[in-house]
């Protein structure tokens, strides 16, 4: 079993009375971890997958009230309902909520207090656009993502004390011992190839065979394409699929920017942002928009059609882009290949997991391009990602930092170097972006 930080959230949830809603992309491990926790912590655990059990959707959707809902549910399962020690886990709830007010039912069930409730689904961002706005008084909501780098280290039996020491060095901005830095760099190289999808991580941990990892990646991408065909609106389906399919190609270009002209059949005036938003809501893509001014709020100066589109998981991107020779180059320590798109995808993915849901970059003809801008601790934090040896060269970042009306006092450069500080720049090893946290989702595994 993979150790996941969401287990801490589950322990916090169990101490209260609310229902729990976990959303997230396909195959990030929601069902497995939630079922195991339910089985291990309640005398009776009731599980119903509403995507697999179409009959259950039909039966439950006819419920007239909470009593009727529980009666119908009891007819669908063969486990006892024990008051005070039963958890009811409804998976893939988007299949039920299309024609049924599950929100109101769950509210009254929580108020009754006889049983505990877990809800989950893979396309909630698309199907339930208002899910995050459900009243927090009776529902705890969280998004689950692929394994972050720390969870990947856990899966590969890296000692917790080493990880805590690395985090301490990040916070205090002091260099790691060389042997620890080298160990973490090797694990980072593996992460670029494997990523954080549980099936791929398990394949790597159990077999050390990248061919098995590739098979896992292909299966996940196949499911993602099927979801587009099933859940996207018919008039948007072609555009969404085209965008999804060309993400690797666009990231592999020199600019790494998404070019609207590459979408076949796109007509002038078409709102392609709907397609970008769908892929973001489905959890399979991460849009990073250009902002014309590095000032808070960054959203104000966002350019709606100028963006980079990263994939949900760097392992999936690597699998789409790489042949065996390039994979071998990464394993040998050369992560500078491919114009840095893979390493930037790694950074974007890790920042999203740790609360940076709105990410931007800066591109200006006079000043140049800076890889990422995020809002952090009430200020704009510029971030450069340097995968090659010449990480001290960052002209665009220099130009930005010299512009007095931007009021920027610090910038981070994530690179292959150990930790060091030079003026307003702090250089961190690339893997340390996993320690840059805006939202402490799961108490950092503690």
């Amino acid at each position: 079993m993979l150790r996941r930080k969401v287990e801490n959230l589950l322990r916090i949830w169990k101490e209260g009375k609310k229902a729990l809603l976990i959303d997230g992309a396909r195959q990030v491990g929601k069902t497995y971890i939630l079922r195991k926790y339910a089985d291990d912590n309640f005398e009776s655990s009731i599980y119903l997958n509403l995507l697999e059990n179409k009959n259950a959707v039909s039966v439950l959707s006819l419920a007239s009230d909470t009593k009727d809902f529980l009666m119908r549910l009891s007819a669908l399962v063969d486990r006892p309902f024990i008051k005070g020690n039963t958890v009811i886990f409804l998976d893939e709830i988007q299949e039920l909520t299309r024609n049924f007010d599950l929100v109101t039912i769950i509210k009254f069930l929580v108020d009754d207090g006889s049983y505990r409730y877990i809800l989950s689904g893979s396309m909630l961002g698309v199907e339930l656009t208002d899910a995050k706005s459900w009243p927090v008084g009776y529902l705890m909501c969280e998004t689950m993502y692929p394994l972050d780098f720390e969870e990947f280290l856990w899966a590969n039996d890296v000692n917790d004390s080493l990880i805590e020491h690395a985090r301490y060095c990040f916070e205090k901005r002091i260099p790691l011992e060389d042997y620890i830095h080298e160990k973490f760099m090797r694990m980072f190289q593996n992460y670029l190839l494997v990523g954080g999808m549980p099936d791929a991580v398990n394949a790597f941990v159990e077999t050390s065979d990248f061919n098995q990892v590739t098979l896992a990646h292909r299966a996940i991408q196949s499911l993602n394409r099927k979801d587009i065909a099933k859940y996207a609106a018919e008039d948007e389906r072609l555009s969404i699929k085209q965008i999804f399919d060309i993400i690797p190609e666009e990231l592999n270009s020199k600019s790494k920017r998404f070019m609207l002209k590459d979408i076949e059949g796109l007509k002038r005036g078409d709102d392609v942002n709907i397609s970008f938003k769908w892929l973001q809501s489905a959890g399979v893509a991460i849009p990073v928009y250009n902002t014309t001014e590095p000032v808070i709020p960054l959203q104000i100066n966002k350019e709606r059609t100028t963006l980079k589109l990263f994939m949900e998981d760097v392992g999936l991107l690597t699998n789409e882009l790489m042949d065996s020779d390039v994979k071998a180059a990464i394993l040998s320590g050369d992560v500078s290949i491919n114009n840095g798109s893979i390493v930037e995808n790694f950074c974007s993915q890790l920042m999203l997991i740790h609360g940076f849901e709105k990410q931007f970059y800066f591109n200006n003809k006079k000043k140049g391009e800076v890889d990422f801008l995020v809002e952090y601790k009430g200020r704009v934090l510029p971030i450069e990602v340097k995968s090659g040896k010449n990480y001290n060269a960052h002209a665009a970042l220099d130009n930005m930092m010299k512009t007095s009306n931007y009021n920027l006092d610090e910038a981070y450069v994530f690179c292959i170097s150990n930790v060091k500080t030079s003026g307003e720049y702090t250089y961190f090893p690339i893997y340390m972006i996993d320690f840059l946290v805006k939202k402490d989702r799961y108490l950092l595994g503690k």
Side-chain angles (χ1 to χ4, degrees):
M1 174 187 169
L2 295 172
R3 178 180 165 196
R4 302 300 302 270
K5 294 179 180 179
V6 73
E7 294 173 53
N8 301 291
L9 179 73
L10 295 175
R11 285 190 285 269
I12 294 170
W13 163 77
K14 190 174 185 294
E15 293 172 359
K17 297 180 179 180
K18 297 180 182 181
L20 175 67
L21 172 66
I22 298 288
D23 72 345
R26 180 81 65 194
Q27 297 291 301
V28 296
K30 301 184 299 297
T31 298
Y32 179 86
I33 198 72
L34 293 172
R35 287 196 73 176
K36 187 175 189 311
Y37 186 84
D39 290 342
D40 291 347
N41 289 274
F42 290 86
E43 188 175 347
S44 182
S45 171
I46 294 168
Y47 174 75
L48 202 56
N49 187 311
L50 300 170
L51 180 61
E52 295 178 356
N53 193 331
K54 303 297 183 185
N55 182 53
V57 174
S58 300
V59 171
L60 293 176
S61 63
L62 295 175
S64 58
D65 54 28
T66 55
K67 184 177 180 180
D68 189 28
F69 183 85
L70 288 174
M71 181 199 69
R72 290 170 180 271
L73 182 61
S74 69
L76 294 167
V77 298
D78 58 1
R79 303 292 296 275
F81 285 57
I82 304 170
K83 286 191 175 183
N85 210 348
T86 293
V87 60
I88 297 171
F89 178 12
L90 300 180
D91 202 1
E92 304 293 359
I93 62 168
Q94 72 276 359
E95 302 299 316
L96 177 60
T97 54
R98 290 170 184 160
N99 301 302
F100 181 71
D101 187 5
L102 182 62
V103 180
T104 300
I105 288 289
I106 291 296
K107 179 181 185 300
F108 286 113
L109 289 172
V110 170
D111 285 341
D112 174 72
S114 296
Y115 314 112
R116 302 300 304 279
Y117 299 90
I118 297 175
L119 312 175
S120 182
S122 297
M123 299 296 293
L124 300 188
V126 172
E127 293 288 294
L128 303 176
T129 55
D130 65 340
K132 289 293 182 67
S133 65
W134 289 359
V136 296
Y138 66 93
L139 189 67
M140 179 184 292
C141 302
E142 191 53 84
T143 300
M144 193 169 169
Y145 294 97
L147 278 76
D148 67 12
F149 185 61
E150 183 175 7
E151 290 172 316
F152 183 75
L153 294 176
W154 291 345
N156 287 274
D157 294 325
V158 176
N159 192 286
D160 280 358
S161 62
L162 288 183
I163 300 172
E164 289 306 309
H165 178 61
R167 180 178 284 111
Y168 175 82
C169 290
F170 170 80
E171 293 170 351
K172 299 300 182 182
R173 305 186 187 192
I174 55 178
L176 269 170
E177 292 80 356
D178 287 342
Y179 78 95
I180 301 178
H181 170 63
E182 291 167 4
K183 179 181 181 69
F184 277 51
M185 283 299 295
R186 288 194 299 272
M187 296 305 301
F188 160 69
Q189 292 151 15
N190 289 339
Y191 190 97
L192 291 184
L193 299 177
V194 178
M197 302 303 281
D199 284 354
V201 175
N202 276 323
F204 176 70
V205 171
E206 292 170 5
T207 70
S208 299
D209 183 352
F210 283 109
N211 294 309
Q212 295 299 316
V213 173
T214 295
L215 291 176
H217 286 152
R218 289 175 180 171
I220 293 166
Q221 289 294 75
S222 176
L223 287 172
N224 284 334
R225 291 184 173 93
K226 288 179 180 178
D227 280 344
I228 293 173
K230 177 176 180 178
Y231 293 103
E234 188 173 354
D235 60 340
E236 299 166 9
R237 200 170 294 156
L238 180 60
S239 172
I240 292 171
K241 186 178 183 303
Q242 282 191 62
I243 292 171
F244 178 77
D245 286 340
I246 64 176
I247 290 174
E249 177 185 333
E250 299 291 284
L251 287 175
N252 200 34
S253 67
K254 185 176 181 180
S255 70
K256 297 188 283 292
R257 290 194 289 275
F258 201 94
M259 308 301 291
L260 298 184
K261 65 180 178 61
D262 292 336
I263 304 174
E264 294 180 12
L266 184 66
K267 298 177 183 178
R268 188 178 182 86
D270 285 354
D271 190 0
V272 74
N273 281 283
I274 295 174
S275 300
F276 294 140
K277 182 66 176 176
W278 192 97
L279 290 166
Q280 180 184 23
S281 297
V284 299
I286 309 169
V288 178
Y289 289 92
N290 184 46
T291 184
T292 57
E293 295 289 332
V295 294
I296 288 180
L298 292 168
Q299 180 81 9
I300 291 293
N301 297 299
K302 180 183 82 171
E303 294 187 329
R304 295 175 67 249
T305 57
T306 309
L307 75 160
K308 301 175 185 179
L309 202 60
F310 293 105
M311 294 183 69
E312 63 177 308
D313 178 72
V314 68
L316 297 177
L317 174 64
T318 306
N319 180 65
E320 295 282 337
L321 287 177
M322 298 300 174
D323 57 29
S324 58
D325 290 339
V326 180
K327 290 181 179 180
I330 291 177
L331 289 174
S332 68
D334 182 7
V335 296
S336 63
I337 43 81
N338 218 42
N339 294 317
S341 62
I342 291 175
V343 178
E344 285 188 31
N345 202 122
F346 167 83
C347 291
S348 180
Q349 173 187 343
L350 269 292
M351 286 194 291
L352 175 65
I353 292 173
H354 292 301
F356 295 95
E357 295 173 354
K358 294 180 180 179
Q359 302 174 22
F360 303 87
Y361 72 97
F362 176 82
N363 186 46
N364 181 285
K365 289 183 179 180
K366 293 182 179 180
K367 293 183 173 63
E369 182 172 314
V370 176
D371 293 327
F372 293 101
L373 296 177
V374 295
E375 294 180 15
Y376 181 59
K377 295 182 178 180
R379 59 189 173 88
V380 172
L381 176 64
I383 295 173
E384 272 287 275
V385 180
K386 294 290 187 179
S387 55
K389 295 180 180 179
N390 193 23
Y391 54 82
N392 289 301
H394 32 67
L397 184 59
D398 295 341
N399 292 334
M400 176 181 283
M401 298 300 291
K402 291 175 184 175
T403 305
S404 58
N405 60 307
Y406 290 162
N407 297 314
L408 301 170
D409 55 7
E410 184 178 35
Y412 290 174
V413 180
F414 290 93
C415 57
I416 62 173
S417 166
N418 207 326
V419 182
K420 66 178 182 179
T421 300
S422 177
E424 65 266 44
Y425 300 123
T426 303
Y427 296 84
F428 294 109
I430 297 174
Y431 55 79
M432 280 193 176
I433 202 161
D434 195 43
F435 301 143
L436 183 65
V437 176
K438 183 176 183 179
K439 178 183 178 183
D440 200 356
R441 293 184 186 275
Y442 312 129
L443 306 180
L444 289 174
K446 298 176 183 176

